[in-house]
Amino acid sequence: MSADALEPLRLRFRQRAGEESRHLADALARGDISEIERLAHGLAGVAGLFGFADIGALALEIDGEFARGEALSLDKVRALIIALEGLSPYS
């Protein structure tokens, strides 16, 4: 039995990171702000739970911008894309 019960979920998150980065990049290229919001919100909820605090923090900052009605920081979205690409074992 594994000492870390979350390890299988953590691995799955890492495996999906490349896909998530592509979805974010596509949404950014299309200017699909609602899709960026949806993706960031989901990542803000799970990334930290699985031990990826930097990704969780970036996603939470983006999600917070939406919640406060602020202009979206494209630099933060790009940083999140890069962070996800770096996490993916398939990059």
Side-chain angles (χ1 to χ4, degrees), residues 12-75:
R12 176 98 168 109
F13 183 87
R14 289 191 70 214
Q15 290 170 336
R16 291 187 50 111
E19 182 180 328
E20 293 291 321
S21 69
R22 286 187 295 280
H23 286 307
L24 267 173
D26 289 345
L28 185 60
R30 292 189 318 270
D32 189 344
I33 302 302
S34 63
E35 180 67 0
I36 293 170
E37 180 179 16
R38 185 188 73 75
L39 291 165
H41 183 76
L43 288 166
V46 299
L49 176 67
F50 297 133
F52 305 108
D54 56 337
I55 291 172
L58 276 169
L60 191 58
E61 287 178 29
I62 295 166
D63 192 43
E65 289 174 351
F66 284 109
R68 293 185 299 274
E70 297 174 357
L72 177 63
S73 168
L74 300 181
D75 288 340

